[in-house]
Amino acid sequence: MKALVLEKYKELIYKDVPEPEIKSNEVLVKVMACGICGSDVHGFDGSTGRRIPPMIMGHEASGVIIKTGTDVRGWKTGDRVTFDSTVYPLDDWFTLEGSYNLSDNREVLGVSPGTYNRKGAFAEYIAIPQHILYKIPDNVKFEQAAMVEAIAVSLHSINIAGLKPGDRCVVVGAGTIGIFLLKLLKLFGASKIIAIDINPKRLDQAKKAGADHTFVSTEEGLIEKIAALTNNRGADVSFEAVGVTESVNIAIDSLRKGGKALLVGNVAPRVEFPLQKVVTRELKVLGSCGIRGEYDVVLNLLETGKITVDDMISAIAPLSEGARWFNKLYFREEELNKIILVP
Ligand SMILES: [Zn+2]
């Protein structure tokens, strides 16, 4: 089969590779769409250490089942599916406790941090264990279903936050995750939504996605302006979708006393942390990792048209041209949202 292989850092080659073999509990999926994630672009140059070549990336995908293993039940050839990006063991303590996204020995599709190398979906076919499959509603296209993973990551952080109707929220970072956070916060009843990004162009998109107010992160008096919009208290909940010192600190500074900061971005391994502010204001700083069953709700929101994704797709391009699109994203030649690669 053909696949887009990261041969070495910054070098993607579209070439023939062996077709995956399926285990008895797996299905073989013909990939119909796979989105390029920001983490793939960051991994592409080796900076995150989570994409060690040679490997096949791609974890935001959808397709059709073309073969089923002997122990597969409830799935058949021809089923249109998408799947979780995490492959988790079913007998792990954390899985049984209800946190499969934190299970030991879990693997992420299209990720290779050195301890494992799980083949991803920038390929014609991919082997997927049946327990991470989800059926795509008939009225949802493959390209749209490839966006479910990113929406589910955003929704997971809202679930961890325990968002209450009327909460005043700040979203730092208006990339894909940030934009879906804005859309979901609107849907889930936030009363005031403030978006912050370093790039003013992203803020136009944030407005369209539901932000009531937007600010460039370098704007003078930013924290005072946020306070003025939140009864001079600060936001109830902030979401950080970048993952560097400056943005983490904005997320923390924008909170009211007792507020919650949800950390979703994780580009930098370490950041400078305002210890005294967090302690003396009794802030809750919570990490949000991946997805924990949010696919079901997201597919439902797509089926019923409650969340839209087409405005977030900048291009649908053949997998054979994947290297060119990675370069466009890497060198930021233009302002792009999601690029979806198709057969
Ligand atoms: Zn991703």
Side-chain angles (χ1 to χ4, degrees):
M1 68 166 181
K2 290 285 188 204
L4 188 68
V5 180
L6 183 67
E7 288 273 301
K8 50 184 177 182
Y9 289 126
K10 298 192 201 172
E11 191 176 313
L12 282 161
I13 313 274
Y14 182 68
K15 64 176 217 177
D16 285 304
V17 299
E19 221 174 88
E21 281 177 31
I22 55 168
K23 297 190 188 123
S24 63
N25 69 330
E26 292 181 338
V27 301
L28 190 66
V29 173
K30 178 175 166 42
V31 179
M32 298 301 289
C34 185
I36 302 178
C37 175
S39 68
D40 293 327
V41 180
H42 288 299
F44 166 73
D45 68 354
S47 57
T48 61
R50 286 180 60 76
R51 304 288 192 282
I52 299 174
M55 66 163 306
I56 301 170
M57 300 192 284
H59 58 269
E60 305 180 349
S62 63
V64 181
I65 295 178
I66 56 161
K67 199 194 279 184
T68 56
T70 49
D71 293 332
V72 170
R73 299 286 175 268
W75 297 99
K76 58 180 190 317
T77 303
D79 282 349
R80 300 167 77 243
V81 293
T82 181
F83 31 86
D84 204 309
S85 47
T86 301
V87 180
Y88 52 94
L90 287 168
D91 58 356
D92 180 78
W93 188 89
F94 291 96
T95 302
L96 295 170
E97 186 259 350
S99 305
Y100 75 74
N101 59 322
L102 306 177
S103 57
D104 288 333
N105 303 313
R106 68 187 190 274
E107 296 183 349
V108 181
L109 297 174
V111 168
S112 159
T115 47
Y116 64 83
N117 181 341
R118 184 93 200 185
K119 288 190 173 61
F122 290 134
E124 260 181 280
Y125 306 107
I126 185 168
I128 299 291
Q130 61 177 335
H131 68 276
I132 69 166
L133 290 169
Y134 292 85
K135 195 176 174 338
I136 304 175
D138 292 340
N139 64 344
V140 175
K141 294 184 205 143
F142 289 114
E143 306 89 86
Q144 296 169 326
M147 302 293 277
V148 171
E149 204 261 354
I151 308 171
V153 166
S154 307
L155 179 56
H156 181 55
S157 66
I158 293 177
N159 285 340
I160 289 192
L163 189 82
K164 293 200 296 292
D167 273 349
R168 280 159 282 220
C169 299
V170 165
V171 173
V172 188
T176 306
I177 298 295
I179 293 290
F180 283 128
L181 270 166
L182 297 167
K183 291 186 179 211
L184 289 165
L185 286 171
K186 185 127 194 134
L187 199 58
F188 285 93
S191 64
K192 195 167 277 184
I193 307 172
I194 302 165
I196 298 162
D197 198 283
I198 196 156
N199 179 347
K201 283 188 204 150
R202 307 282 334 162
L203 294 175
D204 294 338
Q205 188 141 25
K207 271 240 157 83
K208 286 183 200 139
D212 302 303
H213 305 273
T214 60
F215 295 105
V216 177
S217 54
T218 49
E219 196 165 320
E220 208 156 311
L222 174 66
I223 300 306
E224 291 72 30
K225 286 175 187 168
I226 293 169
L229 290 168
T230 52
N231 296 12
N232 289 318
R233 286 198 294 264
D236 300 300
V237 188
S238 65
F239 295 86
E240 202 285 336
V242 184
V244 298
T245 289
E246 295 74 17
S247 49
V248 169
N249 278 275
I250 292 171
I252 290 174
D253 290 347
S254 60
L255 287 175
R256 66 164 168 84
K257 283 175 260 186
K260 288 177 214 167
L262 266 292
L263 307 186
V264 190
N266 65 350
V267 170
R270 308 180 74 88
V271 297
E272 211 171 288
F273 187 80
L275 175 68
Q276 292 181 335
K277 191 174 284 167
V278 171
V279 173
T280 59
R281 297 173 66 85
E282 283 197 349
L283 303 180
K284 297 168 192 76
V285 179
L286 304 168
S288 176
C289 177
I291 296 152
R292 186 152 70 220
E294 283 83 8
Y295 267 59
D296 207 49
V297 172
V298 173
L299 284 161
N300 228 306
L301 294 175
L302 279 177
E303 183 182 18
T304 53
K306 292 199 170 62
I307 193 158
T308 52
V309 296
D310 292 351
D311 54 327
M312 287 300 292
I313 300 175
S314 292
I316 297 171
L319 183 62
S320 56
E321 292 174 14
R324 191 164 72 81
W325 286 98
F326 260 86
N327 277 311
K328 269 182 191 274
L329 290 165
Y330 187 73
F331 293 107
R332 294 175 173 272
E333 286 168 17
E334 52 190 292
E335 206 52 52
L336 293 169
N337 289 312
K338 188 64 74 186
I339 307 298
I340 307 269
L341 300 179
V342 296

